[in-house]
Amino acid sequence: MSSKFLPFALPDIGEEEIAEVVEALRGGWVTTGPRAKQFEEDFAAFLGEGLRAVAVNSATAGMHLALEALGVGPGDEVITSTYTYTATPVVARYLGADVVLVDIDPRTFNLDPDKVAAAITPRTKVIMPVHIAGLPCDMEAILQLAARHNLSVVEDAAHAFPATYKGRLIGTLDSAATVFSFYATKTITTGEGGMMVTRNPELARRCRSMRLHGFDRNVFDRYTSPKASWYYEVVAPGYSYNLTDIAAAIGIHQLRKAWALQNKRQQMAERYNEAFKNLPVVLPAGPPAGDTHAWHLYPLRLRADAPIGRDEFINKMQQLGISCSVHFIPIHLHPYWRGLYHYQPGDFPAALAAYEQEVSIPLFTKMTDDDQARVIEAVTGLLS
Ligand SMILES: *Cc1c(COP(=O)(O)O)cnc(C)c1O
């Protein structure tokens, strides 16, 4: 077996991305400018008619802006899953709102709509579903609940580009906003970056202003429009959340490859499914017939009858030169969140059980067939 180290994930950067970054650097406009604008336009066009895309320097920033634009503040409650990354709930805390965690559907790792329904109070303002691994949540149930209780939905789609729900791309459903991540390991990347998309022009306008210090106009317009001037007005206490043109240069080309990359990820996931179907594992939930899973992650669950537990499995894989990860350490187990809301580990039993058994094995498009064969051989060897 090769002793070469296989990382958990690597970005898939081509010569087109490199050339565009070099051009951006040579052109002298390195911060938010024409390439960021083009990336937004291309992204909106990818999703389809009526969508507005606001480029930001992280998905965390995009979710913060969306909640801010929806008026979330002290006294409000935001419902999300405990089975996510800390970025999802933390944005509510930035605004002084409270987080209400709910448990997951153990089959999909996605938040359970019945648990969401039970968690709604008169203070609830927003529901934040997270499409874990790139498998869309039960959005029909969540959007119906939101409509019935007059709540907004902000989707954490950090894993879900591109993915479809009942034939519609994630980002085009009837949520108030959907936020994608272009972090280094995500399905498409800009190094660090994100995109907030919405059908609501007012919400888009507020997010555009707040991502740039609460200016009344875009920095790009300020320097390039015929009416360019030194004058601007600060109309709100905004943030510094704009995406640079260097990052957007990468994004423009990543976006063009998004379907090809998704296709490759799906083929790799199918190869794993076939290889592991007789092992003591629970395979990741697939998409419903006709829909697309983004396959950002390949989350395996080791069953109780597996010869080794999850932690030992990860150690042994590491010894074989293969890096694995865990998605996720539930929010309610982390000291900050546990301390704030006095959670007990057993408060969310489905998430706790999933966490204890879950291991994400490498799935990224730079992996060769041989790399994948090596992972399959290692997993099969450890679990047979
Ligand atoms: C990566 C990730 C984020 C944060 O994305 P950034 O672009 O790094 O801010 C948010 N939610 C989930 C579920 C993620 O995996």
Side-chain angles (χ1 to χ4, degrees):
M1 184 168 282
S2 158
S3 60
K4 206 174 120 257
F5 179 73
L6 185 70
F8 175 66
L10 281 178
D12 196 337
I13 303 291
E15 289 307 317
E16 307 79 20
E17 284 88 334
I18 293 168
E20 190 85 31
V21 168
V22 170
E23 256 186 71
L25 292 173
R26 287 198 202 287
W29 195 288
V30 291
T31 187
T32 309
R35 285 187 171 82
K37 194 170 176 184
Q38 187 194 334
F39 185 35
E40 288 182 337
E41 286 167 3
D42 292 355
F43 202 90
F46 183 100
L47 292 179
E49 205 140 325
L51 270 301
R52 285 152 212 266
V54 179
V56 282
N57 56 18
S58 74
T60 310
M63 292 190 288
H64 184 192
L65 291 178
L67 293 199
E68 195 278 338
L70 291 166
V72 171
D76 294 331
E77 289 174 353
V78 173
I79 297 177
T80 193
S81 170
T82 189
Y83 209 74
T84 186
Y85 187 54
T86 189
T88 325
V90 84
V91 295
R93 298 296 301 149
Y94 291 174
L95 295 161
D98 276 305
V99 173
V100 175
L101 297 177
V102 298
D103 210 351
I104 55 168
D105 172 343
R107 191 183 71 83
T108 61
F109 299 157
N110 284 333
L111 91 183
D112 178 340
D114 291 336
K115 303 275 165 56
V116 174
I120 292 172
T121 76
R123 291 170 60 197
T124 308
K125 193 135 183 183
V126 176
I127 304 171
M128 297 181 78
V130 189
H131 309 299
I132 295 293
L135 176 68
C137 295
D138 181 354
M139 290 305 296
E140 203 166 83
I142 291 162
L143 287 164
Q144 272 171 14
L145 262 179
R148 195 173 327 130
H149 296 272
N150 200 21
L151 310 173
S152 299
V153 175
V154 173
E155 295 170 60
D156 179 340
H159 298 182
F161 189 78
T164 66
Y165 176 79
K166 301 203 170 176
R168 290 166 72 186
L169 276 169
I170 291 299
T172 68
L173 307 181
D174 301 319
S175 307
T178 302
V179 183
F180 298 95
S181 173
F182 310 134
Y183 176 68
T185 60
K186 298 284 156 71
T187 54
I188 71 167
T189 187
T190 60
E192 299 277 356
M195 196 72 81
M196 195 287 308
V197 305
T198 181
R199 289 186 189 282
N200 180 336
E202 271 309 297
L203 194 136
R205 211 179 48 74
R206 176 73 180 179
C207 290
R208 281 182 200 287
S209 170
M210 291 303 280
R211 82 174 155 183
L212 200 73
H213 306 287
F215 286 0
D216 58 342
R217 58 193 296 203
N218 237 291
V219 73
F220 180 63
D221 295 343
R222 235 169 28 93
Y223 289 106
T224 58
S225 83
K227 280 193 251 161
S229 89
W230 54 269
Y231 189 75
Y232 59 86
E233 287 184 335
V234 172
V235 295
Y239 311 100
S240 183
Y241 280 170
N242 50 305
L243 186 75
T244 69
D245 260 27
I246 301 172
I250 308 172
I252 288 165
H253 293 279
Q254 290 274 291
L255 180 62
R256 289 178 193 166
K257 300 173 185 174
W259 280 118
L261 295 175
Q262 186 283 334
N263 207 274
K264 182 141 189 236
R265 297 183 94 95
Q266 183 174 319
Q267 282 175 25
M268 295 176 75
E270 283 165 5
R271 186 174 172 200
Y272 276 150
N273 285 344
E274 182 59 29
F276 302 149
K277 66 181 182 202
N278 295 321
L279 294 180
V281 295
V282 182
L283 298 176
D291 270 323
T292 303
H293 187 317
W295 290 111
H296 164 54
L297 300 171
Y298 188 84
L300 268 179
R301 272 182 84 153
L302 305 193
R303 288 197 324 235
D305 59 332
I308 54 175
R310 191 271 314 275
D311 292 358
E312 191 183 348
F313 176 87
I314 291 177
N315 288 340
K316 293 236 156 93
M317 290 289 279
Q318 191 74 25
Q319 284 162 19
L320 294 168
I322 299 167
S323 188
C324 296
S325 193
V326 172
H327 296 89
F328 282 94
I329 303 165
I331 296 299
H332 73 281
L333 300 184
H334 290 287
Y336 168 70
W337 296 104
R338 199 181 61 211
L340 186 63
Y341 296 120
H342 310 290
Y343 291 123
Q344 298 299 314
D347 286 352
F348 306 102
L352 183 67
Y355 161 62
E356 285 171 343
Q357 297 184 320
E358 198 272 350
V359 55
S360 300
I361 62 172
L363 190 163
F364 57 94
T365 52
K366 280 288 224 196
M367 278 172 78
T368 63
D369 286 350
D370 286 350
D371 289 334
Q372 205 184 0
R374 196 177 138 206
V375 177
I376 289 170
E377 192 187 321
V379 171
T380 308
L382 291 174
L383 296 181
S384 296

